[in-house]
Amino acid sequence: MRKLLYYLKGYERETVLAPLFKMLEALFELFVPLVMAAVIDRGIAGQDRPYIVRMCLLLVVLGVIGLVCSITAQYFAAKAATGFSTRLRHALFAHIQGLSYTELDQMGTSTLITRMTSDINQVQSGVNLVLRLFLRSPFIVFGAMIMAFTVDVRAALVFVVAIPLLSLVVFGIMLFTMPLYKRVQGALDRVLGLTRENLTGVRVIRAFNKEQEEWESYREKNEALTGLQKFVGGISGLMNPLTYVIVNVSIIALLYAGALRVDSGALTQGQVVALVNYMSQILVELVKLANLIITVTKAIACGNRVESVLEQKNSMSTGRKAAADKSGAPEEGCVVFDRVGLTYAGAGSASLTGISFSAKKGETVGIIGGTGSGKTSLVNLIPRFYDVTEGAVYVNGKDVREQEPERLRSGIGIVPQKAELFAGTIADNLRWGKRDAADSELWEALELSQAREFVEKKPEGLASVVAQGGKNLSGGQRQRLTIARALVRKPSILILDDSASALDFATDAALRRALGGMEDRPTTFIVSQRTSSIRHADRILVLEDGRMAGLGTHQELLESCPVYQEIYYSQFEKKAAPSGAAEGRR
């Protein structure tokens, strides 16, 4: 948590002025019991009304000055806390963006969302309250004890016993609850993760009539979170009654000792009232401190969770040659896999083993295989979303690990399995591929991706609104727009990861013809479950359980690769094989 204080840099003035004004407010409060004692002993006892009026006006002045100091302190504390949380949230988001897929997979999306929202909000509240109360409350407590000693030493000995007991209760509960709040946030992660999963998969849940089971699962996790929160809240709830008991017992002892001292003439009635007021001030401040401790405990637990993400190192390190690489974005588009192996972090076995092949500039490589054969894992190695665990991947003759990721990816167009669009307009989404792309470039990309027709039919054209995730578009329209987004940047390497699954055969064929007829044809990798999408590729790579089962043209594989034959004949009748072979030769 201490490392997060760095993000208060730039708010040094506010972090000093906020507690300073709070301590000024507290200082004026400490004079109030003395004024009240003077009113009782001199004004009321002597029936001096002018003196009582003057003292009452003094109390009003002290109250107004205290209010001004309090408002000023609140302003500076809020400014520092909100500025701190803003900087911290920006830093956390930037850090998460810089992590590799490996770290993101290990931590999980739900916990990262929780840490960026709920956890940082808790830390912000903690910083705000610390700046306002962390110095004020102890100052009042010990200041009241010191002022009590100036009134009467013997009676003030009650404070010497009460304050350590109160401190023991407050800090004991704080130390006990701190680890429990970490568990509460972990349970919140699980509830958030399940909620996110249910919302994104609501159609599947309804299609398989799993609403009741998912509801039971949610209720179980939610009740676990509720039970944990109740337990921690119960422990924290002991703080107020225990402090009230100790303070009220102390007041009884103070009144008893004060009565004896008044009877002996050593104290006045006003001084006893002042001592009781000081004890009441201590009670109020310790209740505030107790609530502060609860909030600070949560804030520390949440801050440690945020800090753990910031301390997470990117497992992908750029090679020493990267700094000297001045070659610019990839131009040649040649890709070489040299005995590549990949094992995901925490996985029991390798996802890819011994993959070796090369793709020359302008070639089209089809990648096919059964579900879980490693097709997506393979193409994810080209833009270096994951690092190989064996062998090497070369782009333009250089190991991808020795290239700056931004420079490497600037020449690669990627269309992921899931067509992901963002809230905005069609033009906004397409310009993710190239920020300064002109409208003519956008229409050209739409033409190639077979999306121009449906975009032109929209009244607003490129300015048509796209809902978050492209929910207001069909699956095929989303896929075509994501393909257009990748083509806008005119990449030298194009990766289509099962990106035509929602397209009909005619549109798929038109798309392939358009890509093949491009003037500056990119090196294209097409991942597909359909042999019709890849049969015209220059070469086809067949994967089975992470290994190469075959490499060659459609006709070659149809004659020599059993795995490819099985996939092909599951989609086409055997009598169609000769025509398919002839078409492959053409």
Side-chain angles (χ1 to χ4, degrees):
M1 176 67 184
R2 266 183 263 175
K3 293 181 181 179
L4 299 185
L5 298 180
Y6 165 79
Y7 297 100
L8 276 171
K9 190 176 181 180
Y11 296 94
E12 293 86 352
R13 185 184 66 171
E14 286 78 2
T15 55
V16 171
L17 290 177
L20 178 62
F21 276 96
K22 268 296 177 183
M23 290 175 71
L24 284 175
E25 178 201 1
L27 186 62
F28 290 118
E29 276 190 35
L30 290 175
F31 288 119
V32 171
L34 295 180
V35 175
M36 290 299 300
V39 169
I40 294 170
D41 291 339
R42 183 174 169 181
I44 296 176
Q47 296 184 348
D48 188 348
R49 289 187 177 181
Y51 183 80
I52 294 174
V53 172
R54 289 199 303 272
M55 289 299 101
C56 288
L57 289 174
L58 178 59
L59 288 175
V60 172
V61 171
L62 290 174
V64 170
I65 295 174
L67 177 62
V68 171
C69 291
S70 177
I71 293 173
T72 307
Q74 176 61 59
Y75 168 76
F76 286 123
K79 184 178 180 181
T82 53
F84 162 81
S85 64
T86 299
R87 292 189 63 195
L88 178 57
R89 192 174 281 112
H90 284 168
L92 182 62
F93 184 80
H95 182 75
I96 291 172
Q97 290 293 312
L99 294 176
S100 71
Y101 280 22
T102 301
E103 284 76 45
L104 296 178
D105 291 344
Q106 287 177 318
M107 287 185 284
T109 305
S110 58
T111 186
L112 292 176
I113 293 173
T114 304
R115 296 184 197 205
M116 190 174 293
T117 53
S118 173
D119 286 353
I120 291 183
N121 287 341
Q122 289 283 5
V123 175
Q124 177 182 332
S125 299
V127 170
N128 193 346
L129 287 177
V130 164
L131 291 178
R132 289 195 295 117
L133 299 177
F134 198 70
L135 290 180
R136 181 190 189 279
S137 294
F139 182 79
I140 288 281
V141 170
F142 291 105
M145 185 175 70
I146 293 169
M147 296 298 284
F149 271 99
T150 64
V151 175
D152 185 71
V153 175
R154 286 191 181 181
L157 291 175
V158 176
F159 289 80
V160 176
V161 177
I163 289 175
L165 285 175
L166 290 167
S167 301
L168 183 64
V169 169
V170 169
F171 290 101
I173 290 176
M174 180 190 75
L175 293 173
F176 185 77
T177 55
M178 191 178 296
L180 293 177
Y181 281 118
K182 291 183 181 179
R183 291 174 56 191
V184 167
Q185 291 302 115
L188 180 61
D189 284 346
R190 290 188 286 275
V191 171
L192 179 63
L194 185 62
T195 304
R196 180 176 178 273
E197 188 178 59
N198 276 269
L199 289 175
T200 54
V202 63
R203 295 184 180 183
V204 177
I205 292 170
R206 289 176 180 175
F208 287 90
N209 197 25
K210 294 290 184 180
E211 292 98 325
Q212 189 62 34
E213 291 181 24
E214 290 300 318
W215 165 244
E216 292 293 336
S217 176
Y218 178 81
R219 186 173 65 179
E220 180 184 339
K221 286 183 171 59
N222 198 38
E223 286 179 354
L225 172 62
T226 304
L228 194 55
Q229 286 179 319
K230 283 183 177 179
F231 179 70
V232 180
I235 300 297
S236 300
L238 291 173
M239 195 175 292
N240 283 356
L242 288 176
T243 52
Y244 270 107
V245 167
I246 294 171
V247 169
N248 282 292
V249 169
S250 301
I251 289 176
I252 293 171
L254 191 60
L255 289 172
Y256 177 76
L260 295 177
R261 299 283 287 165
V262 169
D263 188 55
S264 65
L267 278 178
T268 65
Q269 292 94 332
Q271 289 174 320
V272 173
V273 171
L275 289 172
V276 172
N277 278 343
Y278 282 128
M279 184 60 75
S280 298
Q281 282 186 346
I282 290 174
L283 171 62
V284 172
E285 290 306 318
L286 281 172
V287 170
K288 288 181 182 177
L289 186 61
N291 293 326
L292 170 66
I293 293 299
I294 293 171
T295 303
V296 169
T297 303
K298 290 180 181 178
I300 291 173
C302 294
N304 289 335
R305 283 161 50 87
V306 174
E307 187 178 341
S308 68
V309 177
L310 290 171
E311 289 178 344
Q312 180 70 54
K313 302 295 183 184
N314 192 335
S315 60
M316 291 186 178
S317 57
T318 305
R320 289 177 294 177
K321 295 181 182 179
D325 182 11
K326 306 293 184 181
S327 60
E331 294 178 356
E332 295 302 323
C334 60
V335 178
V336 177
F337 280 71
D338 183 18
R339 300 186 299 277
V340 166
L342 172 65
T343 303
Y344 288 109
S349 59
S351 297
L352 295 173
T353 306
I355 306 295
S356 294
F357 73 96
S358 62
K360 297 178 183 178
K361 175 178 171 57
E363 276 192 335
T364 298
V365 178
I367 302 173
I368 197 169
T371 303
S373 59
K375 302 184 296 296
T376 298
S377 298
L378 182 73
V379 294
N380 278 342
L381 297 176
I382 300 172
R384 202 190 174 199
F385 289 156
Y386 295 93
D387 266 342
V388 298
T389 49
E390 294 178 10
V393 177
Y394 298 90
V395 172
N396 302 329
K398 294 181 181 179
D399 192 327
V400 294
R401 291 169 292 184
E402 295 179 353
Q403 300 184 45
E404 290 288 353
E406 289 185 7
R407 185 173 297 173
L408 169 68
R409 294 166 188 165
S410 65
I412 301 175
I414 303 168
V415 185
Q417 274 184 316
K418 184 180 179 182
E420 195 67 62
L421 296 172
F422 300 88
T425 64
I426 290 177
D428 293 336
N429 276 274
L430 296 184
R431 287 195 173 99
W432 276 61
K434 185 181 178 184
R435 186 179 301 177
D436 57 348
D439 285 357
S440 59
E441 294 178 271
L442 302 184
W443 285 115
E444 181 184 352
L446 290 170
E447 181 77 38
L448 289 170
S449 65
Q450 310 305 303
R452 181 170 187 137
E453 182 182 355
F454 85 81
V455 174
E456 284 181 331
K457 287 181 179 178
K458 291 182 175 293
E460 297 87 1
L462 290 173
S464 299
V465 175
V466 177
Q468 184 180 8
K471 300 296 183 185
N472 58 338
L473 300 172
S474 68
Q477 289 173 338
R478 287 199 297 269
Q479 284 193 338
R480 282 179 281 172
L481 286 181
T482 54
I483 294 170
R485 181 175 60 194
L487 292 172
V488 164
R489 72 193 323 171
K490 294 181 172 58
S492 59
I493 298 172
L494 179 63
I495 298 172
L496 304 176
D497 187 2
D498 205 12
S499 55
S501 57
L503 304 183
D504 58 67
F505 286 97
T507 306
D508 184 17
L511 172 64
R512 285 186 280 106
R513 282 196 301 270
L515 293 177
M518 289 176 64
E519 185 177 343
D520 191 11
R521 184 177 170 185
T523 305
T524 306
F525 293 86
I526 302 176
V527 176
S528 181
Q529 300 279 4
R530 303 192 308 209
T531 53
S532 60
S533 297
I534 62 168
R535 64 195 297 178
H536 301 290
D538 297 306
R539 277 182 301 164
I540 300 171
L541 174 65
V542 185
L543 293 178
E544 184 181 31
D545 295 330
R547 297 177 181 274
M548 284 180 58
L551 178 64
T553 63
H554 168 72
Q555 182 60 33
E556 290 170 350
L557 293 173
L558 203 56
E559 294 173 355
S560 61
C561 181
V563 176
Y564 187 76
Q565 292 170 0
E566 182 180 353
I567 296 172
Y568 180 77
Y569 290 128
S570 67
Q571 299 171 9
F572 297 94
E573 296 181 9
K574 284 196 175 184
K575 62 181 180 180
S579 61
E583 191 175 342
R585 283 193 293 270
R586 289 198 297 271

